[in-house]
Amino acid sequence: MFLKRKSASTSETESNLDDLPWDPAKQKKILEYHPNKRDEVRRKYLERGPCKPYGHNFPKKMIGKSLRRFNPAWFDQYANWLEYSVSKDKAFCLCCYLFRDDIQKQGGNDAFVTEGFSSWNKSERLAIHVGAMNSFHNIAVKKCDSLMNQNHSIEHAFYKQDDVAKNEYRIRLNASIDASRYLLRQGLSFRAHDESVESDNKGNFKQLLKYTAEQNEVVGKVTLENAPKNNQMTSPPIQKDIVHCFAEEVVKSIIEEIDHCVFGLLVDESADVSHKEQMAVVFRFVDKIGTIKERFIGVVHVRDTSSLTLKHAIDDLFAKYGLSLKNIRGQGYDGASNMKGEFNGLRSLILRENSSGYYVHCFAHQLQLVVVAIAKKHFEVGDFFDKISTMLNVVGASCKRKDNTGKGKNQDRSLPRPAATRWGSHHKTLFRLVELFSIVTKVLKFIQTEGIEDSKKHQAYGLANYLHTFDCVFYMHFMLHILGLTENLSMALQTKDQDILNAVSLVESTKRELQKFRDDGWDSLMVKVHSFCNKHDVDMVMMEDEFVDFRRPRKRTNTTNLQYYKISCFNFVLDLQLNKLMKLVEFYPDDFTSVERFSLEQQFDIYIDNVKEDKRFSNLKSLGDLSRLMVETQKHLAHPLVYRLLKLVLTLPVATATVERCFSAMKFVKTTSRNRIRDQFLSDCLVCFIEI
C-alpha cells in the first residue's frame, strides 16, 4: 500500500468525492463538475471500479417470446468497464462515462453512455461496444489508463529510490499506522487545535508518534523533525487515508463473510453532537461456520429522515459494496421511529422491491411501548412516575445529594436518572429508591428547611409527603416487580446471537410469569408493602374501608380499597401487559422452488431421525447453537434445504440494540470538542472503533 501526499486545501474536494453516487444511472455528467475537479472525480470513480452488484437478483423481462435478464457472468468477461444500475435495470460503461464529453465531440453517442443498455437478448452488443482498436470505447480506456498512470507517478518514483530511502519510508508509514490503530481502537481524536512547532500539545496522533520515537531509536531517526519535510506521513489527509484503508478492509471482510447470501437489515437514525442526522446500518447474517452475527458497516449522513431520503442512502450504500436489496430477508427498526412513520415508509419501499424482506418489530422496544401504554392508560401509575422524575430533579439539584451515596462500594447505590426512551432504566431507579428510601426522605426534608429556592422547598415538602403515602409504596413495589420481569426479558432479547424462535419462547415465558403474578401474586405483594410501611412509618390503609379518590376526596366511590387496588390497578395493569406483549406471525420467506419445497418435507423427516440419534445434538439451547453444530458436524451439507431454512429464520432481526450501541459509540468518537469531523472520516472511525 502506498499513500499519496495531499495538500490540506483538498479537504473540501475529498469530502465531495466521498459523496459520489455509485449507481451509474444516478451519476451526473462530468461537465457538470468544476474544471479543476473533473480529473479528481474521474480518478475516484476509477479507484472504486465499476458498480457490480453480484448478489443482486437481476429481474427478468419479456423480450420477444422469452424471459431475459442481465447475466452476471458479463461482469468477469468485461471486468474493467461494465457496470450495472439496480435502479434502472440497465448496463453502462464506466470508461465511456468518464470521457463521454470527448467522445461526443468526436460523434460518439452510445447506449452504454447515455440511456443504458438493456437488450439482454443481444449479448453481442457488448463486444460491439468494445469495437476495434481505435473505437470510442478503447480511446476512453486509454484515457483512463493515462489518467491513473499520472496518479501513480509518485509510487513509481518511490520504487526508483534506493533501499535505504525505501526502508525509512516503511518505518515512517508503519509508525503512523500503529499510532492510528491505537487511536481508533480507543475512539480518540487525532488532531489538536494547535499543531504548530511551538505548541505544547500537538494532538494525540503527533504526541503518540513523538512518544514512539523517544522509545524506539530506529523510529526516532526517520520520523517527525528527522523526516523529509515533504514526506513526514503525518498530515491530516495521510491520517484519513490510513483510517479509510482500515475501515475498507474491515467492511470488505464483513461483505466476504456474507458471501452474497441472505441477510437482515438493521437501521436507526439519530442526530450527532453537531445536530447532523446520521443513519447507522448493521447487517445480521449467518457466517460460514453457522454463527449468527450482527456487524456494523457504517453511518451515512442524511439531509432529512424522510423515507425516500433513507431509502436513497441505503441504495447508495448497497451499490458501493455490490450488495442487493433482493438478498434482504429481514428488516429491523426501533419501535419509536417506526411509530413516527419514517421507517414505516422505508420498510414499505424495500418491500416493494423485495417481498421477502419481512419486517420484525424490535422486541426490546415493544416491551418499552408496553410500559408506556401502562403509564398512559392508568392515571395513578403515570402520576407515580411523574412524581419520581420530579423527585430526582429536586434531589439532584441539592448540594445535599453528595451525602446520598457515601464512598467506595456505596457509590453503586446512587439514584440513577431514568431515560425517557429507556423504560428499563426505571427498574434500576425504583430498586435504588427502595434501598435508599430513608436517605431520600432525609434529603427532601433538608431541602424543605434549608433550601434556597422557594419552588424547590415547596416541591420537596409535597414529595416527602407523597413518599409516605400508601399509594406511593404500593405502586413502587408493584411496578418494581413488573419492570423486573420485563427488564430481564429485554436484556435477554438484546444479545447479538439471539434468534427469533428463542425470543418468542422468552416472551411466552414472561407472559406466563405475569399471569402467575396476576393469579397468585397479590398476597405476596401486600406482604412486601406492609413490611415496607411498618419499617418506614407509612400509614397503611384498611382493605375493607371505602376507597377515597384523592382527585375527588368528598365524592363517594362506593368501592373498597381491596376492589380498587386489586381489581382496578393490580389486575388492570397486568392485563395490559398480557394483552399487549407482541404476537408474531410466520416470517418464512419463499426461497424455495416447488421441487425443493416437496423435497424439504422428506429431508425434514430424514434430518430429524438423523439428529435424534446423534448425542452431540442433545444439549442445544437455541437455533444459533443448532446452526453452528450443523456446520461443525457437516450436516449442513447432508441436509442443505433444512440448513437454508434455518439460515433464513436466523437472519430475522430480534432487536435493534446493536444499532443503538453504534450511536452510543458515536458519542465517544464525535464529541463537542471534535464536532467538525467529516462524514466519511466519522464513518471510518466508527467502523474501526466498533468492529476491530
Side-chain angles (χ1 to χ4, degrees):
M1 176 182 67
F2 188 89
L3 298 171
K4 306 180 291 298
R5 295 186 296 274
K6 302 176 185 177
S7 65
S9 63
T10 63
S11 61
E12 187 65 34
T13 300
E14 290 171 344
S15 176
N16 294 334
L17 292 179
D18 291 332
D19 297 328
L20 293 177
W22 284 81
D23 192 310
K26 299 179 180 179
Q27 298 162 354
K28 64 181 184 180
K29 294 181 179 180
I30 297 296
L31 272 182
E32 295 180 22
Y33 293 98
H34 190 279
N36 296 338
K37 193 177 174 182
R38 289 171 190 166
D39 279 352
E40 287 299 317
V41 172
R42 287 170 172 141
R43 286 193 186 100
K44 186 68 175 181
Y45 272 118
L46 289 171
E47 288 173 358
R48 297 195 316 193
C51 178
K52 300 179 179 180
Y54 279 99
H56 180 61
N57 185 9
F58 299 97
K60 297 178 181 179
K61 65 177 182 179
M62 186 66 68
I63 301 180
K65 296 182 179 181
S66 303
L67 285 172
R68 304 280 187 171
R69 67 168 189 169
F70 178 91
N71 186 354
W74 295 338
F75 283 143
D76 298 324
Q77 190 174 353
Y78 304 99
N80 67 331
W81 61 269
L82 183 63
E83 54 183 354
Y84 176 84
S85 168
V86 173
S87 63
K88 296 293 185 181
D89 185 30
K90 290 183 178 181
F92 292 83
C93 175
L94 175 62
C95 297
C96 292
Y97 156 70
L98 296 177
F99 291 94
R100 70 162 72 188
D101 306 312
D102 294 338
I103 294 172
Q104 287 175 346
K105 289 177 183 177
Q106 301 177 40
N109 184 20
D110 195 281
F112 285 89
V113 181
T114 54
E115 299 299 323
F117 169 75
S118 60
S119 300
W120 311 132
N121 59 326
K122 299 179 180 179
S123 58
E124 67 277 4
R125 287 283 302 277
L126 297 168
I128 293 173
H129 171 74
V130 174
M133 183 180 297
N134 293 322
S135 67
F136 294 127
H137 171 82
N138 284 320
I139 291 173
V141 172
K142 290 178 182 178
K143 288 180 177 289
C144 292
D145 292 339
S146 299
L147 183 66
M148 294 308 289
N149 285 335
Q150 293 174 12
N151 195 39
H152 292 160
S153 59
I154 298 177
E155 184 176 358
H156 294 161
F158 165 73
Y159 285 108
K160 293 180 181 178
Q161 296 179 7
D162 58 34
D163 292 338
V164 174
K166 291 179 183 178
N167 186 55
E168 291 179 351
Y169 172 83
R170 289 191 181 95
I171 293 174
R172 281 193 296 276
L173 177 59
N174 286 331
S176 295
I177 289 175
D178 289 341
S180 299
R181 181 186 290 113
Y182 176 81
L183 296 177
L184 288 170
R185 190 66 188 87
Q186 301 301 321
L188 300 173
S189 61
F190 278 63
R191 302 179 62 190
H193 293 295
D194 182 8
E195 295 186 348
S196 63
V197 178
E198 298 79 16
S199 175
D200 293 331
N201 188 346
K202 300 179 178 64
N204 291 327
F205 182 81
K206 288 189 175 181
Q207 291 297 132
L208 190 55
L209 273 182
K210 181 181 178 181
Y211 176 80
T212 304
E214 291 172 350
Q215 302 300 314
N216 190 319
E217 184 178 354
V218 175
V219 176
K221 288 181 178 180
V222 297
T223 56
L224 299 175
E225 64 272 4
N226 294 326
K229 297 299 182 183
N230 64 343
N231 192 11
Q232 294 195 351
M233 305 301 293
T234 60
S235 68
I238 289 293
Q239 296 172 23
K240 291 178 181 178
D241 275 352
I242 293 174
V243 174
H244 187 64
C245 289
F246 274 133
E248 286 296 293
E249 286 300 312
V250 172
V251 175
K252 180 182 176 182
S253 69
I254 294 173
I255 302 302
E256 289 176 351
E257 281 187 293
I258 297 176
D259 195 26
H260 304 302
C261 291
V262 296
F263 58 92
L265 174 67
L266 302 174
V267 177
D268 199 1
E269 58 82 22
S270 178
D272 59 30
V273 71
S274 60
H275 306 293
K276 295 174 67 175
E277 290 289 346
Q278 305 287 356
M279 181 179 71
V281 180
V282 168
F283 290 157
R284 178 184 173 93
F285 58 93
V286 179
D287 68 6
K288 296 177 182 178
I289 63 172
T291 301
I292 308 170
K293 289 188 176 180
E294 291 183 358
R295 304 293 298 274
F296 170 72
I297 66 163
V299 293
V300 182
H301 169 57
V302 289
R303 297 186 305 276
D304 56 71
T305 57
S306 67
S307 57
L308 282 176
T309 301
L310 298 175
K311 174 62 164 54
H312 289 157
I314 290 175
D315 286 340
D316 288 342
L317 190 68
F318 275 46
K320 176 180 180 180
Y321 296 116
L323 300 171
S324 172
L325 290 176
K326 296 294 184 181
N327 282 1
I328 293 177
R329 291 299 180 270
Q331 302 180 62
Y333 318 118
D334 71 49
S337 292
N338 182 65
M339 292 303 103
K340 289 191 297 184
E342 292 93 340
F343 288 120
N344 200 20
L346 175 60
R347 67 168 177 173
S348 298
L349 292 174
I350 293 178
L351 282 171
R352 290 177 190 174
E353 298 186 30
N354 178 10
S355 60
S356 297
Y358 291 127
Y359 169 76
V360 179
H361 194 78
C362 175
F363 279 54
H365 280 83
Q366 181 77 333
L367 287 172
Q368 294 167 12
L369 291 174
V370 169
V371 181
V372 172
I374 293 170
K376 287 184 177 179
K377 291 193 175 184
H378 195 281
F379 180 87
E380 283 75 14
V381 174
D383 182 65
F384 166 76
F385 278 120
D386 288 342
K387 283 186 169 62
I388 295 300
S389 178
T390 303
M391 181 205 68
L392 291 171
N393 291 332
V394 172
V395 172
S398 170
C399 61
K400 187 70 175 179
R401 69 187 184 276
K402 296 178 182 178
D403 297 334
N404 289 356
T405 58
K407 297 181 180 180
K409 292 187 294 184
N410 288 332
Q411 292 288 344
D412 294 332
R413 299 180 63 213
S414 60
L415 278 174
R417 189 180 301 274
T421 58
R422 296 286 180 270
W423 280 83
S425 62
H426 285 71
H427 173 256
K428 189 174 183 180
T429 299
L430 296 184
F431 183 78
R432 297 302 185 211
L433 180 58
V434 170
E435 282 192 319
L436 305 174
F437 190 84
S438 298
I439 297 175
V440 172
T441 302
K442 292 178 181 178
V443 172
L444 289 173
K445 290 181 178 179
F446 174 85
I447 298 172
Q448 177 187 336
T449 57
E450 304 294 335
I452 299 175
E453 300 179 28
D454 288 340
S455 60
K456 289 291 188 292
K457 295 171 70 173
H458 293 154
Q459 284 180 321
Y461 172 77
L463 289 167
N465 288 337
Y466 178 73
L467 286 182
H468 279 77
T469 62
F470 177 81
D471 276 17
C472 177
V473 176
F474 176 80
Y475 296 135
M476 182 168 60
H477 283 82
F478 179 39
M479 292 308 300
L480 180 62
H481 188 89
I482 292 178
L483 288 170
L485 290 175
T486 56
E487 171 74 0
N488 293 336
L489 175 59
S490 181
M491 292 297 101
L493 292 173
Q494 293 181 54
T495 56
K496 289 185 178 182
D497 61 348
Q498 189 63 263
D499 63 78
I500 198 163
L501 294 188
N502 199 44
V504 174
S505 176
L506 288 170
V507 171
E508 292 299 324
S509 297
T510 303
K511 288 171 66 176
R512 286 192 294 271
E513 288 298 313
L514 286 169
Q515 186 66 54
K516 182 179 178 181
F517 183 51
R518 185 188 188 282
D519 295 339
D520 307 318
W522 172 258
D523 290 338
S524 61
L525 174 64
M526 293 309 297
V527 169
K528 292 181 181 178
V529 172
H530 276 266
S531 174
F532 190 89
C533 288
N534 291 331
K535 180 179 179 181
H536 297 282
D537 296 325
V538 177
D539 291 336
M540 282 292 299
V541 300
M542 301 301 294
M543 289 293 130
E544 298 79 12
D545 292 349
E546 183 175 354
F547 170 71
V548 178
D549 188 346
F550 74 91
R551 291 172 292 178
R552 305 179 187 86
R554 296 184 179 181
K555 184 178 180 180
R556 298 200 60 177
T557 60
N558 296 319
T559 302
T560 65
N561 286 321
L562 180 63
Q563 289 174 320
Y564 173 76
Y565 288 105
K566 185 174 183 180
I567 306 300
S568 299
C569 182
F570 183 80
N571 288 350
F572 176 79
V573 170
L574 284 170
D575 287 342
L576 279 175
Q577 291 277 5
L578 293 167
N579 293 333
K580 288 184 175 289
L581 278 174
M582 72 226 85
K583 299 177 182 178
L584 298 177
V585 297
E586 296 290 333
F587 281 104
Y588 294 104
D590 185 12
D591 273 43
F592 302 91
T593 66
S594 57
V595 175
E596 287 175 331
R597 286 196 297 272
F598 178 77
S599 301
L600 182 59
E601 295 181 13
Q602 297 175 321
Q603 195 174 113
F604 255 129
D605 294 335
I606 299 173
Y607 160 78
I608 292 172
D609 181 74
N610 182 251
V611 169
K612 281 183 176 179
E613 298 299 320
D614 195 328
K615 294 182 179 179
R616 292 173 295 182
F617 287 79
S618 59
N619 295 316
L620 295 177
K621 297 181 179 179
S622 67
L623 290 181
D625 293 339
L626 174 60
S627 173
R628 288 190 294 271
L629 192 55
M630 282 191 70
V631 175
E632 183 181 324
T633 58
Q634 300 291 302
K635 290 188 184 296
H636 70 302
L637 301 178
H639 311 286
L641 297 180
V642 174
Y643 185 65
R644 188 192 306 176
L645 181 62
L646 179 60
K647 287 179 65 176
L648 289 170
V649 176
L650 289 175
T651 58
L652 291 174
V654 174
T656 58
T658 301
V659 194
E660 290 161 6
R661 293 188 190 104
C662 298
F663 280 124
S664 297
M666 187 167 65
K667 295 177 182 178
F668 290 95
V669 175
K670 188 169 186 177
T671 63
T672 52
S673 60
R674 196 189 182 190
N675 61 2
R676 297 179 64 185
I677 181 172
R678 295 190 179 277
D679 297 331
Q680 185 61 55
F681 191 44
L682 172 63
S683 182
D684 292 340
C685 289
L686 279 173
V687 168
C688 297
F689 180 52
I690 294 169
E691 292 294 342
I692 291 181

